[in-house]
Each structure stands twice: as structure tokens, then as C-alpha cells.
Amino acid sequence: MSTLKIKKGDTVKVIAGKDNGKEGKVLAVDLKNGKVLVEGVNIVSKHTKPSAANQNGGIVQKEAYIDASNVMYVHKGKATRIGFKIEKDKKVRFAKSTGDVID
């Protein structure tokens, strides 16, 4: 897949799925599969065996990846689309709703 418009550390809002409306920080991005890991979103239960790291084992709650198409970047408290433009010989992201450069 080509470049994703969402990066690690961005604040995003979920626009589809069981966690619709929730906001969180992006913890990781999987470019190959086009998925993102968002803090506090898409919580799944994982059954683990006892091991050296986890003595008791049991059921562990953790975040799972969500498709990047189901999240939108949050800029100034509102969800917005992201575009790319060239500024001073550098490719930058900008918020389409306001035109502000993000990075």
C-alpha cells in the first residue's frame, strides 16, 4: 500500500465500527496492511498461557489493529481529511478543512 496519511502519535477519531466516535492516540502504524493501532480502541480479550513473563496466565485485555480507512485525523477538536502539498521543496501534510499545515 502507498503512504498512509495517519502517522504514529496523531490523534484520530474512529468513524466506523463498534468503537464509532471514540478518540485516541495512534500507537503504531502497519503500512503493509494499511492498519493502525489506536489507544483505547478495539479492545480484545487474549487468552494467555502461564509463562516466565506472565506467571498466572489468564485473560488479557489489549488493543487490536483497526483499518486506517475507519479513522480520521483530529485537528483543533474536529475530524478532518488530510492532504499533501509541496511547501519549500518539502512534502507536508495539511488539514483540508482549514488548510493548516500539520507537519
Side-chain angles (χ1 to χ4, degrees):
M1 188 174 193
S2 63
T3 307
L4 280 181
K5 296 178 179 180
I6 305 294
K7 291 184 178 178
K8 182 179 176 181
D10 287 349
T11 303
V12 294
K13 182 175 187 175
V14 179
I15 58 169
K18 67 177 183 179
D19 293 316
N20 191 358
K22 287 187 181 178
E23 287 187 19
K25 189 176 177 184
V26 175
L27 301 174
V29 177
D30 183 3
L31 283 174
K32 185 179 177 188
N33 298 317
K35 294 179 180 279
V36 292
L37 191 66
V38 183
E39 188 176 43
V41 173
N42 197 20
I43 303 292
V44 294
S45 299
K46 182 170 173 65
H47 297 257
T48 58
K49 285 186 172 182
S51 65
N54 185 3
Q55 294 288 330
N56 295 333
I59 302 170
V60 178
Q61 301 278 328
K62 62 180 266 183
E63 291 104 354
Y65 280 88
I66 186 170
D67 202 271
S69 65
N70 293 338
V71 297
M72 278 184 93
Y73 182 81
V74 174
H75 182 67
K76 294 184 180 174
K78 290 181 121 181
T80 182
R81 290 182 292 166
I82 294 178
F84 288 106
K85 64 181 175 183
I86 305 296
E87 224 175 58
K88 298 176 186 165
D89 297 333
K90 188 165 180 157
K91 186 177 175 183
V92 294
R93 296 186 302 162
F94 72 99
K96 289 201 172 184
S97 60
T98 60
D100 296 344
V101 174
I102 296 166
D103 54 6

